[in-house]
Structures are given as structure tokens and as C-alpha cells.
Amino acid sequence: MADLDQKPKVGASRRDFLRGSGIAAATAVITGPAVASLDEAKAAEPEYKVVADTVTLKLQVNGKELSTEIEPRCTLLDTLRNRLDVTGPKRVCDRASCGACTVIIDGATVYSCTTLAIACQGKKVETVESFDTGPTGVPHAFVQHDGLMCGYCTPGFVTACKSLLDRNPNPTLDEVRKGVDGNICRCGTYIGVLEAALAAAKAMKGA
Amino acid sequence: MPTNWPENPKIIGTRVTRLDGMAKATGRAKYPSDSHPEGMLFGAMLYSPHAHARIKSLDFSAAEKLPGVKAVLPAGNIKAGSLVRFQGDDIAAVAAETEEQALDAIRAIKVEYEVLPHVATEEQARAEGAPEVFKGGGIVKNVRKGRSVTIGKPDDAFKGDDVVTIEASYSAPVITHVCLEPHGLTVRWTPEGKIEAWASTQAVGPTANELAGAFEIPITDVTVHTDVMGGGFGSKFGADIWGVTAAKLSKKAGGLPVRMFLDRAHEHMGGGNRPSAIAHVKLGATKEGKLIGMIAETSGTGGAGAGSAFPLPYVYAVPASSRTHSDIFVNGGNARAMRAPGHPQGCLVMEAAMDDLADKLGMDPLAFRLKNLKPTDMVEDGFSKPTVDRTPVYHDEVEIGAELIGWKNKWKPRGHVNGGSPIRHGLGMALHQWGGGGPPTNQVACTIFPDGAVEMKTATQDIGTGARTIFAIIAAEVLGLKVTDITSNIGNSTFPPGQPSGGSTTTPAMSPPALNAVTLARDELFTKLAPALAANPEDLSLADGQVLVKGVAKMAWKDACRKLGMQPISVVGKSSPGLASQHGGVAGCQFAEVTVDIETGVVRLKKIVAVQDTGLIIDKLTWETQVYGGVIGGLNYGLFEERIMDPTSGIMLNPDMELYKLAGASDIPEIVVHAYETPAMKARGVIGVGEPPTVSTAAAIGNAVANAIGVRVPHWPMSPKNVLDALASKEGKA
């Protein structure tokens, strides 16, 4: 029998709350009945039909007017990579969490893997291929500070840095961290990346 | 043949930027997944949505009729009646004119499944009454129990009166490689019936071999290109079922090239993973802190077919020990080699037990560790080199690391509290070891052209360690040229045989034949030049772009090469003794400084110190980058990474890059890297550094967290959940 005299616990700690909710819920499971009803819903789905057609897309990429036929569902990333041979931006997570596909659209840093290509018509798309390759450019700083290993995330990091420096030519180390926090490197080149961004800021000012 | 590296090098050991750095940093480098040969089709894979199922029927007819679809094929030998044994197991493949069409066709493949019972986690596989999914080959109830390995009499060792013992369980979860460029290749059949592939691989030679074998054609009819590749970490050594299937699709589509790369979810599920490690450990020492024995029951899962071994005891002198390891089989993708296979797991188990025992003994864990190093730890270098004693190396490295982290002033016994703040501060450390030597079986071709160009050529590849730059440094050193004067051509399976990039072996395996090749080429040049300079070949030398006679500059490099007329000098160099450690055998230690918020369980890293020995360093810049990279890999294991399987459905809950956590820039602390590069270490020759620094970081972080909060967090990663659970169990709330 419950002890009715027991005082309710006052002020549950943040720790108890967190243990009981959000973080632990990362391991939430889909229960049996839910799985069954999902299966039922699936069985009721009609035969799979493809409804697709292409549209002519005109894009301004790195100062060039490019045109190609795409389905309206094509992302900017897949359009650049698969149809326009602009392969600097990479497809890694394909759902806006790693930043390897980063491009600059009308001055804004954008994940091209979750941007529809048709939404970019009439806008200015800049990719890593268009950046200054001289000693005051961001790519040069990445090479000098060895901010790359396998190099697959590198175009995304270079683009995020370039975009940051365009907006904030005098970033602090913390601002650089935040500026590239939307990007993930698996080889672990962050130290070189941070050094490169600060060095590029310095080099640009000297230019 | 040279048997030693230059005594006073001008370039070797300095900080040289990567030759292919600009190509990578400007997005111009073409990765295998960027390749787009004329007429290329887009491939896509269909994989099992179920953890365990029998395929009742497989119908491609609707898929084949869709617009743009050129070929649909089963994966491997899959047919009606086949079993799929994990979510992500391959079923079928499509090639179509556009990627969108290929994905539509994948969705239009009709598969009827008989869903079978599964075991998705280690716990589920071992539970009483669990379905026996895995049988045969010594597997009982999904478990293959290994033989016990016993040294001395561990049971007797614990009997003494003055024995202090800890008994504890530790575990690390399955993690996945997360190569940013997924597994895959672009492949075509030429009109002559040959295969040409652009593969994301750590091994161009074995990949060509696998393709040739799959189609029973001579390997001379296969060319694999890997100019650059986007990460492998041990998981990319062949064409794999995806590459072979893509080649079949290309053949079926009349030789049109097919680009086939896994999507991110499939990459997590089927592209390899690191086995879990679960350990129950009894470790004992005398009251004076001398280890006397260890008894360990360990297990782990490598998925539906791979093992889960890891070394234990690790690093330290344990006079008596017994260890039994069991492989647990689950409906998950198969493990593959991952960065120093087994060592991070063995290290975190051993080092956690060492720390817990030091705490029980009331000893400084640093002093306890030094007290228990092996009296000598001789490492065979191979070739003609003498063996190396690793024990004094550990002593030196721990001393250096302790100084750099400020151990003497900052370290306090476990669970010390400064005031009432929930932010607790802790320090931890761990020791590690690895091989990193290179086998003497490879070749490098060096060609000096009449126009002065120099090419270094071999069938190895750059996994990110800067292989091109390494060859150029060596050639430039010997020829008195600039690094940028040299062209390194690698990543082609038809070049002279080169080393697969695994086990930190590329640089040590390839540097000796590179030095040999360029030295032989130089000597041949001297022989040809000597008459024109009215000198003996042995009077000639090279420096600063000049040919010198008895130390006096006589002719510019290009003018000298012009004397070759129409005939380049081309030499194939082999490995020679003494230039690299054949077996490696490095030490190393790391220290971590953390804060832990005991209300939220959030661990923040403040600083990591890594002290690393790896023989002679060729490029200090890329060497440091590798050590930073190793540490950052290790801090991912320490804080973030975990494959989460749902026991009910058997599927992976985080096959992505937001819930599968990896460090971003704001998670990176101050990292101090110290190269332990004494003359004795340099004399060992070249040793690879890719893996050693990734071994002990997670262990050091775990120990720092225990030091901060006063209780062991027994499960990696040091996530808020695991930290809060450990704090709760300390308070009896578990």
C-alpha cells in the first residue's frame, strides 16, 4: 500500500527530468500494433505509378547561364552534379545535416541537397569552383593549413568559410566555429579548417 | 641500393603542403562518385527493409517497363527463397538514364517477404528463449563461444591477503564507418570486353582483382582508377557486391557506364561497422599497486557473420590472466576493419579497469600505470633493424603528456568537489599501441624525362594521408628539386604494385621503394651525364635544381636532363631493408580534460594531449593532421557515436547524420599534439600514423568523466543518457 504520508518530492531535478524524457526517448521503439497498422496501411496503397515529366531549367551558376531538362522534383545538388557536371558540392547525408553540399545562393549559405533546383531560377548560385584560387582566397588557406584529408567534405567547408567571411570579414575563433558548425568532417580536419578560416580572413584584409 | 635515409634532409620531416590540396579545396578533384563518362546510367540498390526475412517472390516486370530503365538485376545470388539477414541486405539493382528514374524503378520492384523472427541487439540475441537465428559453425543460441586464453594461474593470483580487486562491466556499442563518400564505383564494359572502373576504394589492386574474378576475365583486362577517394577507414577494400552488380548492369545495358553509390542509410547498414565490445572484468593488484591478475569474460557483435575480437589484456604487464571471448550474432550488417581494429575497444576496457583499480587503491592512476608497464616490451622491427623496447618510450611519453596537460597541478582524486557547482572537472589518461609497419612487397616506378619532368608512379592510392606528397618529397629530396617539380601518379591498378591503404601501412610500405626508385634513377642519370661534364659519376651530386661536380654547380637540372636526348630514364624501385619498420609497433598516450554537468549529463571537452611516436616522419604537416584526425575520431567514439537498433522492429533508428552523432567544429577542444621523434625513433625508419592516435582518446575521455563525477560511466559513448544513468545508479536510482 502506498505510503500516504510520504511527501511529494519537491523540485524534481533537471537530471531526473532528462533521464525520464527527451534524451532517453532517442531509443523509442515502434511497438508491435503500430507496425501491424502500418503494414495494413501499406497493403491498401494503390499500385505504384510514376507521374513524371521534365521542365527546362535555366540556372545561373558561377556566372554562367546554364540550361538543362530536369524533373521538378530534382534537388539543386543532384541537378548540379548529375546534369551540369558541377561536382564540387558533394552528396553525403542528403538531408541537410552534414554540409558537404553547401553552395551560396544570392549571398546566403544553403544546403543544396534540400533545395529544389526550380526554386533557384533567377538566382545567383555560387559553388566552390568559382572561388578565388590565389593566395588571398579561402582554398589557398585550406591548403596552407592542411584543412583537409580525404577532401570529400572540403568543398562544403571552404564554401561555408567563404560565405562566413563575406558576411563577417573579422570573425573570432568562436564565430568561425559557429560558421562551420553546419558541416561535418569524418577525417577530423577541424583544427586545420579553423586555422585556415582565420588565416583567410587575414589574407583577404591584406589584399 | 640505399639502406638509409639522407642524414641531413632538406625536405623530409618539414611541413610540406599537399600536392593535390588545391584540387581538393577548389572542388576540382574528381572523386569516383563525381565521374560521369559519356552515356552514363545511374544505378540504385534495393535493400531489405526487414531485419530477417525470406524472399517469397521477386518481380522486376513493372520496374523494367518504367521510362529510362535499362537494366534490372538481382544482387548477387538473390532469388525467390533467399534469406535476407539484416535491414540493408542487398536484394536487387537498377540502372536507368536518370537517378530519379532509377529510384522510381527500385520502388516499383515487387518483393513479397515472409518476415522471420530477428535478434537485433546483443541483449536480444542472448535472451532466454530468443529465436535461434544463427546456427552452425559452433554457434549455439546465436553465440559462438571462444576458447579461454589463460596465462599463469589467475584464480590463484586473487587469493592473497593483500590483493585489492575490482570487478566491473564495461561496454562500447557498434559504431559505423560513416565514410563521407559512400561505397561504390562507376564502371563500364568497353567494346573490347574489358572493364574500366572509377572506384572509391582503399585498394585499387584488390578491387581490380575482385572484378576480374567475378567475371572470370584476366586481370589485365581490368583497370581501376582512384585518383582521390572520400574516406574508407578500413571498410573499402574491394569492389563489393555493389560494384560487381554495377558491372553486371553495365554489361546488360550494352556497355553503357553505370554509376553506383550507396545512399546514406544503406551505407550505415551495409557499408561496414566496428563490432561492439562488452566486458566483465576482474582485475587485481597488490596494495602497493602491482598488478597480479585479470579474469575477463568478453563478447561483442560483428553483425550477421563477422567476428568481434579485441586485444585484452592490453599494454600492461598482467602476470596471470584468463580471457574468454564470445561472438554474438545479430541481424545487423557485417563488421569490417575499422581504424586500428579491436584496439580502441581493448584500450577502453583495460584502461577503465586500470583507472577503477587505481581509485580503489587510492593511487594516482598515472603512477599506477607506470608501475605496471612491462619490464621490457621488445618490438620486432623486421629487416635488419634491431628490436625496440617500447617501455622506456611509454615512460617518456607519459612524462611529456603529463606536463602538457598539467597533471601534477590539475589532477585530483576521483569525485573531488569544488563548491556547489553542478559543473564538475576531471582529468583522465590512457595508453595505446599499434603496428603501423609496411610490408616490403611493393614497387614504385621513377621516370626522369628529357624535359626535366619527374614522375613517381605506383598502384597505391591516397586515402587522405597525402600519398602523392610523400612520393614527391622523397623524389625532391634525392634529386635536389622542389616538391612541386615532381608528379606523383597513383590510383591506377595497372601501375607497379602498390600497398592497399590499411593498417597505417601506406607510407611505410611505399616510402622505401620510392627512395629506391629515385636513387637508382639518379644514379643512372649521373652515369649518362658524367662524360658530358668530364667527371666521374661518383663526383656528381644534385642540389637546388643544379647538377654539381665535386660540390660545384655546373649545370641546371633541365639542361642536364636534355642530355638524355629522346630516352627518358625509367626505373622500378623495390623495397630495401632498413628504410621502414616492417612490423611497426608504436606506443603513444593521451590525456583528456573534461567538464561534466551533473544535472544534464553533458560532457564538454576542454583539452586533449596526444603524444605519439611513429619513427621517421616524412611530412610533418600531414603527420600532424593525421594525429589531430585520429584524436577527433577517438573523441567521436568517446562522446557521440552509437548505432541504435530497435529491438522490436530490428531496424536501425539512426541511419543518418543527425541522430548518428559526429563532432562538429564547436565540439573540438584545444588539442595538443606532440611528436615523439628522438634519434632512436628516427632510426626505426618510416612507420604509419593513421591509426595509433585514434586508439586511446575514448578511453582517456571515459577516465576523465569518471574522475569528474566520482562514478564510472560503464557504457560508451559518454552521452548525457549514459552519464545520467551512471549518476543515478550511484544514488541507487537505477
Side-chain angles (χ1 to χ4, degrees):
Chain A
M1 197 174 158
D3 183 358
L4 296 176
D5 289 331
Q6 191 183 1
K7 284 184 186 164
K9 196 178 163 195
V10 182
S13 76
R14 277 197 293 163
R15 183 199 303 170
D16 289 339
F17 174 76
L18 288 171
R19 277 192 76 228
S21 63
I23 292 166
T27 55
V29 299
I30 301 168
T31 55
V35 171
S37 62
L38 281 176
D39 284 347
E40 273 170 36
K42 213 171 174 184
E45 276 174 22
E47 279 286 289
Y48 191 84
K49 275 194 198 120
V50 174
V51 182
D53 204 352
T54 58
V55 294
T56 302
L57 175 83
K58 286 199 171 76
L59 268 189
Q60 198 207 107
V61 183
N62 299 333
K64 282 185 213 151
E65 296 293 338
L66 301 176
S67 179
T68 183
E69 297 288 314
I70 60 158
E71 293 184 45
R73 60 176 161 161
C74 287
T75 64
L76 175 62
L77 176 66
D78 290 351
T79 304
L80 290 170
R81 290 179 55 77
N82 293 345
R83 289 185 173 74
L84 301 173
D85 202 33
V86 179
T87 56
K90 302 291 189 243
R91 192 166 80 187
V92 172
C93 73
D94 211 16
R95 50 192 282 165
S97 26
C98 80
C101 65
T102 304
V103 300
I104 302 174
I105 300 177
D106 284 349
T109 327
V110 168
Y111 289 149
S112 64
C113 74
T114 43
T115 304
L116 286 174
I118 51 170
C120 300
Q121 298 192 95
K123 295 178 180 173
K124 204 176 134 195
V125 179
E126 289 172 80
T127 74
V128 66
E129 284 97 332
S130 69
F131 298 168
D132 173 11
T133 56
T136 58
V138 176
H140 178 80
F142 269 69
V143 177
Q144 291 304 306
H145 294 271
D146 210 35
L148 66 153
M149 289 182 78
C150 86
Y152 209 70
C153 71
T154 309
F157 272 98
V158 169
T159 306
C161 280
K162 162 77 163 55
S163 189
L164 168 72
L165 297 179
D166 285 348
R167 285 173 280 129
N168 176 4
N170 296 298
T172 62
L173 178 59
D174 265 355
E175 285 166 346
V176 172
R177 285 181 193 276
K178 290 203 166 58
V180 297
D181 251 347
N183 296 64
I184 289 173
C185 170
R186 184 49 154 162
C187 297
T189 58
Y190 294 105
I191 301 292
V193 167
L194 298 175
E195 285 177 5
L198 293 172
K202 221 174 187 177
M204 283 175 179
K205 271 177 281 183
Chain B
M1 263 189 194
T3 51
N4 274 306
W5 290 95
E7 269 179 37
N8 298 300
K10 287 184 173 170
I11 310 174
I12 289 173
T14 63
R15 305 174 69 82
V16 181
T17 57
R18 284 167 205 263
L19 282 183
D20 44 13
M22 272 311 262
K24 289 180 174 182
T26 57
R28 288 176 174 82
K30 286 286 181 189
Y31 289 76
S33 54
D34 298 333
S35 55
H36 200 149
E38 185 70 30
M40 187 186 83
L41 304 174
F42 292 82
M45 298 295 304
L46 172 67
Y47 52 83
S48 173
H50 301 294
H52 190 203
R54 188 176 300 283
I55 294 171
K56 283 158 69 180
S57 68
L58 195 57
D59 180 2
F60 297 157
S61 56
E64 282 166 338
K65 284 181 205 128
L66 290 179
V69 173
K70 296 290 178 187
V72 186
L73 285 171
N77 298 318
I78 289 282
K79 53 182 180 296
S82 295
L83 279 177
V84 282
R85 303 214 293 172
F86 59 93
Q87 180 210 20
D89 213 350
D90 302 283
I91 294 176
V94 167
E97 284 171 352
T98 72
E99 190 162 25
E100 294 74 25
Q101 290 168 338
L103 293 169
D104 285 339
I106 286 296
R107 292 181 200 110
I109 293 173
K110 284 184 200 145
V111 191
E112 274 188 286
Y113 299 98
E114 178 195 353
V115 178
L116 301 171
H118 64 261
V119 286
T121 65
E122 299 90 325
E123 204 180 357
Q124 213 175 11
R126 282 188 303 190
E128 196 59 41
E132 287 193 52
V133 176
F134 299 94
K135 287 174 191 162
I139 302 170
V140 179
K141 293 183 176 173
N142 307 317
V143 175
R144 183 172 61 207
K145 203 166 159 61
R147 261 176 302 170
S148 168
V149 178
T150 303
I151 294 161
K153 291 183 176 168
D155 288 327
D156 294 349
F158 288 94
K159 282 177 184 161
D161 284 343
D162 73 333
V163 177
V164 178
T165 305
I166 58 118
E167 208 169 335
S169 294
Y170 311 103
S171 74
V174 171
I175 64 175
T176 71
H177 295 71
V178 202
C179 308
L180 293 198
E181 181 175 42
H183 286 67
L185 49 63
T186 304
V187 62
R188 72 179 187 123
W189 282 84
T190 68
E192 300 80 31
K194 297 180 179 183
I195 293 176
E196 186 169 26
W198 295 262
S200 185
T201 181
Q202 301 176 227
V204 286
T207 301
N209 206 30
E210 190 181 335
L211 287 169
F215 294 95
E216 296 179 342
I217 61 174
I219 190 155
T220 45
D221 286 354
V222 180
T223 306
V224 171
H225 307 271
T226 305
D227 282 348
V228 284
M229 56 88 69
F233 311 106
S235 68
K236 284 183 181 167
F237 283 104
D240 281 316
I241 186 169
W242 315 297
V244 172
T245 307
K248 286 181 186 169
L249 290 168
S250 170
K251 196 172 191 181
K252 194 172 175 191
L256 290 175
V258 173
R259 185 204 283 172
M260 175 75 80
F261 284 82
L262 305 189
D263 65 34
R264 181 52 50 193
H266 197 187
E267 179 72 19
H268 273 292
M269 297 164 190
N273 58 67
R274 187 179 87 181
S276 60
I278 302 162
H280 187 79
V281 177
K282 188 176 172 189
L283 186 68
T286 62
K287 280 177 187 156
E288 291 72 40
K290 202 80 183 159
L291 284 175
I292 51 97
M294 178 181 212
I295 296 173
E297 289 273 349
T298 63
S299 61
T301 185
S308 58
F310 60 89
L312 195 74
Y314 192 65
V315 173
Y316 301 101
V318 184
S321 65
S322 88
R323 195 264 175 116
T324 313
H325 182 78
S326 300
D327 290 321
I328 304 169
F329 295 92
V330 302
N331 294 104
N334 286 334
R336 295 181 173 203
M338 182 166 175
R339 303 194 82 176
H343 281 237
Q345 300 99 303
C347 181
L348 63 84
V349 169
M350 187 77 202
E351 289 288 21
M354 289 294 286
D355 239 49
D356 289 350
L357 184 51
D359 180 59
K360 195 162 180 184
L361 286 161
M363 282 183 76
D364 178 336
L366 186 149
F368 178 58
R369 282 180 169 82
L370 292 181
K371 205 167 186 172
N372 286 291
L373 289 170
K374 294 170 183 170
T376 59
D377 183 8
M378 304 310 288
V379 181
E380 295 280 337
D381 254 357
F383 283 129
S384 57
K385 287 282 181 180
T387 51
V388 168
D389 184 359
R390 201 154 38 183
T391 295
V393 177
Y394 276 127
H395 275 279
D396 286 356
E397 290 181 339
V398 168
E399 192 182 322
I400 293 164
E403 182 69 31
L404 290 171
I405 198 83
W407 187 271
K408 209 170 156 188
N409 295 325
K410 285 188 195 163
W411 183 82
K412 298 194 174 60
R414 187 177 283 190
H416 56 279
V417 177
N418 286 333
S421 166
I423 308 295
R424 302 292 162 83
H425 182 267
L427 232 55
M429 65 176 292
L431 273 53
H432 63 255
Q433 54 189 230
W434 182 245
T441 47
N442 299 283
Q443 299 177 3
V444 175
C446 174
T447 305
I448 300 173
F449 291 91
D451 68 350
V454 178
E455 182 198 43
M456 303 291 278
K457 193 164 96 170
T458 176
T460 190
Q461 53 288 309
D462 181 28
I463 191 173
T465 59
R468 279 187 182 81
T469 316
I470 295 290
F471 296 128
I473 288 170
I474 292 167
E477 182 77 52
V478 171
L479 300 177
L481 297 172
K482 294 201 288 285
V483 174
T484 47
D485 294 333
I486 314 294
T487 299
S488 293
N489 278 325
I490 59 172
N492 184 315
S493 62
T494 67
F495 291 172
Q499 181 72 2
S501 298
S504 304
T505 59
T506 311
T507 307
M510 299 311 303
S511 294
L515 180 66
N516 181 224
V518 69
T519 305
L520 292 173
R522 179 200 63 188
D523 291 350
E524 197 174 321
L525 179 70
F526 284 170
T527 305
K528 289 190 173 164
L529 278 183
L533 291 164
N536 295 317
E538 52 274 22
D539 295 334
L540 303 188
S541 60
L542 296 163
D544 304 323
Q546 296 284 323
V547 181
L548 288 68
V549 178
K550 294 187 177 172
V552 181
K554 291 284 181 189
M555 195 183 276
W557 168 259
K558 282 196 174 176
D559 295 330
C561 292
R562 214 166 283 136
K563 303 270 178 212
L564 294 171
M566 299 294 284
Q567 196 63 45
I569 291 169
S570 193
V571 178
V572 174
K574 295 183 177 177
S575 208
S576 58
L579 299 172
S581 170
Q582 193 176 346
H583 306 303
V586 298
C589 68
Q590 292 188 18
F591 292 76
E593 184 179 355
V594 304
T595 59
V596 185
D597 182 335
I598 58 165
E599 287 289 331
T600 63
V602 171
V603 177
R604 294 294 298 181
L605 295 169
K606 287 181 69 92
K607 184 174 178 176
I608 293 176
V609 170
V611 186
Q612 189 60 55
D613 57 291
T614 57
L616 174 74
I617 296 168
I618 303 283
D619 183 345
K620 196 59 156 292
L621 179 65
T622 55
W623 184 94
E624 270 179 14
T625 302
Q626 287 189 74
V627 179
Y628 284 130
V631 167
I632 290 168
L635 77 83
N636 276 319
Y637 317 156
L639 290 185
F640 301 117
E641 286 187 65
E642 184 170 15
R643 181 184 78 178
I644 302 171
M645 301 296 282
D646 173 28
T648 307
S649 63
I651 69 169
M652 182 177 175
L653 293 173
N654 57 343
D656 51 44
M657 291 178 71
E658 61 264 25
L659 294 175
Y660 190 98
K661 297 278 180 204
L662 291 167
S666 289
D667 299 307
I668 307 301
E670 178 192 2
I671 301 174
V672 178
V673 169
H674 181 93
Y676 183 76
E677 200 193 14
T678 62
M681 290 295 109
K682 284 185 180 179
R684 299 184 71 186
V686 183
I687 301 178
V689 75
E691 288 155 299
T694 205
V695 173
S696 61
T697 321
I701 290 170
N703 288 338
V705 169
N707 180 248
I709 65 175
V711 59
R712 166 64 54 187
V713 179
H715 307 300
W716 271 258
M718 299 295 116
S719 61
K721 178 183 188 301
N722 286 339
V723 170
L724 293 178
D725 282 350
L727 284 164
S729 87
K730 180 188 173 193
E731 292 163 12
K733 290 189 205 165

